[in-house]
Amino acid sequence: MIRKYTLLNYKIFYLLLFFISCFSANAQIGIGTTNPNASSVLDITSTTQGLLPPRMTTVQRNAIVTPADGLIVYDTDLKLLYSYVLSTLSWVPVSGALPRLNFKRIRSTDNLATVLATELAAGGGAKYVLTSNTLYEINGQVVFNFPIDLNSAYLTGLDANEDIIVKTSGNLFDGTTGGSIRNLTITTPGATVFNLNASASTLTFLMRDCIIGNSNSVGLISGYGLVFMSIVNFSGNTNGITYNNIGQLLLSNQAWFSNNNGTYEKFTGTFNLIEKQGGFSNVNTGAFGLDVSTAGLTITGDAVLESVVFTGPTPANYVKPYVTPSATTFTGYNFNTSWTVRAAGIPTEADASAVADFSMDYPVNTGLGVTLNNSTPSDIVKVGVSTGTAPVTVYSNLFRFATDAGTSGYNRLKYVGKKKRIFQVTGSISFQVPGTGVFIAYINKNGTPLTQYKIYGRGAAVNDIIVLPLNATTELTTNDYIEVALQRNSGTTGQLIVPNITVTIK
């Protein structure tokens, strides 16, 4: 067969040779541009279209056989570009950061039955049991149709003003496990926020930077080893919260606004430690700010209420006090000796403020007899011991102090605070002597004279009246007590008559 080459054939041939030689010389390709960047092998230029890499699921990506170093695909499950790193034999996000493990985002537009299908199945179709140690992010306003069991998971929003949980009936948080709630607004009109009854005292519940508003009831938190609630605002709730049987309860900078009703906060059962610090409680008319009146409320360690501001139209309702009378409660005060209270709007109550006094005062020419033995010096006898009837003694200003009943407790002040501290004891004693002699007045601690503080007085004649000051400094612990005693150092024997004695401890 004879081929015929025309001029056109030759032109096409030489044109192909030109393109090949250009490509070989520059090794560059330009798409959308006739002048590819000199640093690139491939320069794609467009203002209306993008580059679309291979798209596949995570399973498909992991199924690629012997992927090349630097191979790039788009993971449609994780919504990220991934590149293969041969040195580590692993896929990494192109952004350089691995996606968070144990994470789930719940959007306002999501179908909860789909997004939380696993959690709903774990709750038997009646509640959402969150996956333990998993972070759930609330995005927008999410309305829950079933209760949430935290199950030691973390529930959080990015902005409490925008990320909101709503439930309109029943309980919102319901379960026996711990967990964490942060940066959320929680609103339950017609429903209860918390019905949490921990199954073990080792569990922890944490809540911070949240708003709880417009709920029928804030509810119950009970049985935890640790409950820590910090920077929580309560607004427009019909009923407040009850804390029950908690090891350590820490409440920091909580705000109770005047549009709340019922009892804002109530403590029941047994606590090792309560610390409520900072914030305020603006108590509405007819409401109570803090309720510690339930019988059996016990603090095995200490309780602190400090720097909380109580305001409102009815100061008597700021605190519903412990039931009185009691050996550890005092008329006109709200708490018992387990508490240290320094809060604006209510009385200060602390062992550091403990004080007491008594005054025994008889009419002129009468008094309480004190019989001393005939030894010289005589025995040291408490003023008020072995009397048939109680002395004419008035006990007043008793705070964290008490008196003992019976003859042994006459003219006695007993410290009932929990903290050891140093007290100043002051007073005076007047007594009539049977004759010339030298007499000594003592302050006794737990029946033992504080001899370094003894005071001497001298009577010059029968029926002379000696007046001696009393002054001492001593350390007292729980149930230590203070009394006054007399002794004859020398002189006439016989009975002393004591018409007046005063003692103040502070």
Side-chain angles (χ1 to χ4, degrees):
M1 180 179 180
I2 300 174
R3 297 179 181 273
K4 294 183 179 180
Y5 295 94
T6 65
L7 180 60
L8 178 60
N9 296 131
Y10 283 106
K11 288 180 179 181
I12 293 173
F13 174 73
Y14 285 117
L15 183 61
L16 289 172
L17 286 177
F18 172 78
F19 278 115
I20 291 172
S21 64
C22 288
F23 180 74
S24 298
N26 296 296
Q28 290 178 287
I29 298 176
I31 300 177
T33 179
T34 58
N35 185 26
N37 190 283
S39 64
S40 68
V41 173
L42 175 64
D43 186 342
I44 304 174
T45 302
S46 176
T47 59
T48 58
Q49 295 171 297
L51 176 66
L52 194 59
R55 293 145 289 162
M56 61 190 71
T57 66
T58 302
V59 173
Q60 291 168 333
R61 171 169 59 81
N62 291 330
I64 296 175
V65 179
T66 317
D69 191 30
L71 184 68
I72 294 177
V73 300
Y74 179 77
D75 190 310
T76 56
D77 290 333
L78 299 176
K79 314 300 183 188
L80 288 173
L81 277 172
Y82 274 80
S83 174
Y84 190 76
V85 180
L86 187 61
S87 62
T88 61
L89 301 178
S90 63
W91 292 93
V92 298
V94 172
S95 63
L98 292 172
R100 186 184 182 96
L101 301 176
N102 301 332
F103 171 78
K104 185 173 286 189
R105 179 177 288 115
I106 307 170
R107 299 177 176 85
S108 58
T109 56
D110 285 339
N111 184 337
L112 295 185
T114 301
V115 175
L116 297 178
T118 301
E119 291 78 2
L120 188 58
K127 66 167 60 175
Y128 297 105
V129 179
L130 304 185
T131 303
S132 178
N133 299 317
T134 297
L135 176 66
Y136 291 82
E137 180 188 304
I138 300 295
N139 186 273
Q141 179 170 302
V142 180
V143 180
F144 280 82
N145 54 340
F146 293 111
I148 301 170
D149 187 333
L150 286 169
N151 194 31
S152 300
Y154 312 95
L155 194 61
T156 186
L158 297 180
D159 182 354
N161 292 312
E162 299 292 335
D163 300 324
I164 304 168
I165 291 178
V166 180
K167 196 169 188 295
T168 57
S169 63
N171 300 317
L172 175 57
F173 295 103
D174 194 347
T176 60
T177 58
S180 174
I181 303 171
R182 301 173 184 244
N183 299 317
L184 290 170
T185 287
I186 298 169
T187 179
T188 58
T192 297
V193 178
F194 300 115
N195 183 37
L196 298 178
N197 292 276
S199 58
S201 61
T202 56
L203 293 173
T204 297
F205 174 74
L206 304 177
M207 184 178 202
R208 65 168 299 154
D209 303 315
C210 289
I211 301 168
I212 297 179
N214 302 315
S215 66
N216 178 60
S217 175
V218 182
L220 171 70
I221 298 177
S222 175
Y224 289 91
L226 170 65
V227 172
F228 181 27
M229 299 178 69
S230 176
I231 314 178
V232 182
N233 291 348
F234 298 87
S235 177
N237 301 293
T238 304
N239 295 284
I241 188 169
T242 297
Y243 301 102
N244 171 258
N245 292 335
I246 295 170
Q248 299 179 87
L249 175 62
L250 307 179
L251 306 174
S252 173
N253 292 301
Q254 300 208 4
W256 288 87
F257 292 92
S258 61
N259 57 0
N260 291 286
N261 290 295
T263 297
Y264 294 179
E265 297 172 286
K266 186 174 185 177
F267 300 132
T268 64
T270 301
F271 299 78
N272 178 48
L273 180 151
I274 297 177
E275 181 171 355
K276 180 174 171 61
Q277 189 170 26
F280 64 85
S281 186
N282 192 337
V283 184
N284 195 6
T285 300
F288 278 99
L290 192 63
D291 185 348
V292 291
S293 68
T294 301
L297 174 58
T298 303
I299 312 296
T300 59
D302 289 295
V304 176
L305 177 64
E306 187 157 4
S307 301
V308 179
V309 179
F310 287 87
T311 58
T314 311
N317 287 5
Y318 294 170
V319 177
K320 192 171 185 180
Y322 274 77
V323 176
T324 56
S326 165
T328 59
T329 57
F330 302 91
T331 302
Y333 293 87
N334 300 304
F335 299 88
N336 66 13
T337 55
S338 294
W339 289 78
T340 297
V341 179
R342 299 184 186 90
I346 61 176
T348 295
E349 301 184 47
D351 288 348
S353 303
V355 65
D357 64 61
F358 74 79
S359 175
M360 187 193 77
D361 189 36
Y362 281 81
V364 176
N365 298 319
T366 62
L368 184 67
V370 177
T371 301
L372 306 176
N373 65 17
N374 294 329
S375 301
T376 303
S378 73
D379 54 351
I380 300 173
V381 177
K382 170 194 167 182
V383 178
V385 70
S386 300
T387 57
T389 59
V392 182
T393 304
V394 176
Y395 302 90
S396 56
N397 301 315
L398 295 181
F399 181 72
R400 305 277 166 113
F401 274 89
T403 63
D404 285 336
T407 57
S408 64
Y410 295 153
N411 294 342
R412 174 183 294 177
L413 293 173
K414 181 173 69 174
Y415 177 56
V416 294
K418 295 183 70 173
K419 305 290 191 307
K420 178 174 64 176
R421 56 160 291 201
I422 295 174
F423 288 88
Q424 182 74 31
V425 183
T426 59
S428 66
I429 183 169
S430 303
F431 55 94
Q432 189 177 50
V433 300
T436 304
V438 176
F439 300 87
I440 306 173
Y442 295 90
I443 293 174
N444 284 2
K445 173 184 172 181
N446 299 333
T448 300
L450 300 174
T451 57
Q452 69 271 36
Y453 298 110
K454 60 182 176 289
I455 300 293
Y456 290 83
R458 178 179 177 82
V462 176
N463 295 330
D464 268 2
I465 294 179
I466 300 175
V467 180
L468 297 179
L470 301 171
N471 189 39
T473 300
T474 187
E475 181 181 85
L476 300 181
T477 59
T478 304
N479 292 327
D480 284 349
Y481 59 89
I482 293 295
E483 299 166 322
V484 177
L486 290 172
Q487 181 184 32
R488 184 186 63 259
N489 186 59
S490 64
T492 306
T493 61
Q495 188 180 60
L496 303 180
I497 303 299
V498 182
N500 179 269
I501 180 173
T502 62
V503 172
T504 297
I505 304 178
K506 61 182 179 180

